Amino acid sequence: MSALLSLKDLWVEYGDKVVLERVNLEVAAGSFVSVVGPSGAGKSSLLRVVLGQEQPTRGSILLDGTPLAPECGPDRGVVFQRYSVFPHLTALRNVVMGLELEQAPFSARLFGSARRAARDRAAEMLGAVGLGHSLDLYPAEMSGGMQQRLAIAQALIKRPRILLLDEPFGALDPGIRADMHALITRLWRDYSLTIIMVTHDIKEAFQLGTRVLALDKRRHDPHAPHRFGATAVYDLALTKREEPSVDTGPETTLVTREDAA
Ligand SMILES: Nc1ncnc2c1ncn2[C@@H]1O[C@H](COP(=O)(O)OP(=O)(O)O)[C@@H](O)[C@H]1O
Ligand SMILES: [Mg+2]
């Protein structure tokens, strides 16, 4: 079976600074790839090129065997560590906005039945991330964990096949992070997603991933630290036992810990 996503001899350079070099990666559909590596190794840069936000300076990216369109497509969604939701919109409007931008790119407004359908879909997606009772809240009225749930709903509303996560839980308290792990595992399974997640937390990388990829420099030039970039220094496929179902039942059970906080 051919890979859903393949990076071939990929380089990312900023001026004379080499950030990534010779990255080769084949990502099978349905995998959950955890990406680890020191700060500055180019993890976020890697996600940006996969997202299509940035062009690699060399090499190619194939999605389903076809070169990636030079822009962000609906097939890829992204969640950053924080600040990706619109502060002036309610949870529901934040998620509807994603559909509006897709379906009405010029006016970003839907009307009549299209608008009702978008609202229904957005409300359903918010339910799926455990925010079914928070549709009318503004981000400032939400905990950090709830805001990340909202960001995930915003990314998933367009039904991407690939979800890119850049340290999505890094700013959250450990207890809330555990809830988010259960959530992302469930969404990964329920929506048949392929996930690439950057994390600083090695335990999280192994716990969630079906594969752990480490980016680091293989060679250093002490006189010119910019000369060499990072590449995949190890790439571990994890064989996991079938885990007990983390079906948490109704969506509300997922937010209890945050509600109590
Ligand atoms: N747009 C840019 N212009 C110049 N340098 C950049 C740019 N984006 C990132 N960098 C540099 O590339 C390196 C890798 O950055 P990044 O991908 O954010 O690393 P990581 O996410 O692993 O911490 C850093 O040294 C950063 O300063
Ligand atoms: Mg980063």
Side-chain angles (χ1 to χ4, degrees):
M1 198 187 68
S2 70
L4 172 60
L5 181 73
S6 62
L7 313 185
K8 293 186 193 297
D9 194 25
L10 190 92
W11 293 62
V12 172
E13 293 149 291
Y14 298 109
D16 61 357
K17 175 176 185 150
V18 182
V19 173
L20 292 173
E21 60 178 47
R22 292 176 229 197
V23 176
N24 287 289
L25 185 66
E26 303 270 301
V27 178
S31 48
F32 192 134
V33 184
S34 297
V35 180
V36 298
S39 185
K43 305 181 296 298
S44 295
S45 302
L46 181 75
L47 290 193
R48 283 198 302 272
V49 295
V50 171
L51 188 63
Q53 238 173 31
E54 238 174 68
Q55 299 299 303
T57 40
R58 306 182 222 175
S60 59
I61 305 181
L62 304 179
L63 189 63
D64 268 332
T66 309
L68 201 64
E71 71 258 355
C72 315
D75 41 20
R76 283 148 287 149
V78 68
V79 175
F80 300 104
Q81 187 168 12
R82 52 174 77 173
Y83 308 131
S84 60
V85 297
F86 301 111
H88 61 291
L89 298 178
T90 63
L92 186 66
R93 290 280 308 141
N94 256 287
V95 179
V96 168
M97 179 64 92
L99 287 173
E100 284 178 330
L101 289 171
E102 183 181 62
Q103 294 171 19
F106 298 108
S107 63
R109 274 297 206 199
L110 295 171
F111 297 99
S113 62
R115 182 180 176 80
R116 279 192 298 278
R119 289 177 64 98
D120 289 349
R121 262 181 74 188
E124 192 184 322
M125 185 54 75
L126 282 161
V129 300
L131 292 178
H133 299 287
S134 308
L135 306 186
D136 298 322
L137 293 186
Y138 285 88
E141 302 173 298
M142 302 173 131
S143 68
M146 291 168 83
Q147 290 191 33
Q148 286 309 77
R149 288 170 191 272
L150 176 56
I152 291 168
Q154 217 177 30
L156 290 184
I157 192 68
K158 292 181 235 170
R159 302 304 310 268
R161 300 166 68 197
I162 304 181
L163 182 63
L164 304 170
L165 304 170
D166 199 350
E167 304 190 31
F169 315 131
L172 304 177
D173 293 338
I176 290 168
R177 216 176 299 167
D179 291 344
M180 298 301 283
H181 291 168
L183 173 70
I184 206 71
T185 301
R186 181 164 57 76
L187 295 171
W188 171 55
R189 201 185 51 207
D190 288 355
Y191 293 97
S192 306
L193 294 167
T194 302
I195 294 183
I196 304 178
M197 177 187 72
V198 170
T199 176
H200 260 112
D201 180 343
I202 194 83
K203 188 160 165 259
E204 178 175 272
F206 278 87
Q207 206 180 323
L208 297 183
T210 56
R211 180 174 175 186
V212 176
L213 182 81
L215 294 180
D216 205 350
K217 291 186 193 221
R218 243 191 238 286
R219 24 181 214 163
H220 294 268
D221 181 341
H223 304 293
H226 293 174
R227 186 165 161 214
F228 299 119
T231 193
V233 289
Y234 71 77
D235 183 356
L236 293 175
L238 307 178
T239 43
K240 297 202 157 178
R241 278 180 294 123
E242 191 57 37
E243 296 196 20
S245 164
V246 281
D247 189 358
T248 47
E251 70 228 21
T252 45
T253 54
L254 279 167
V255 290
T256 48
R257 213 176 307 198
E258 284 146 31
D259 287 348

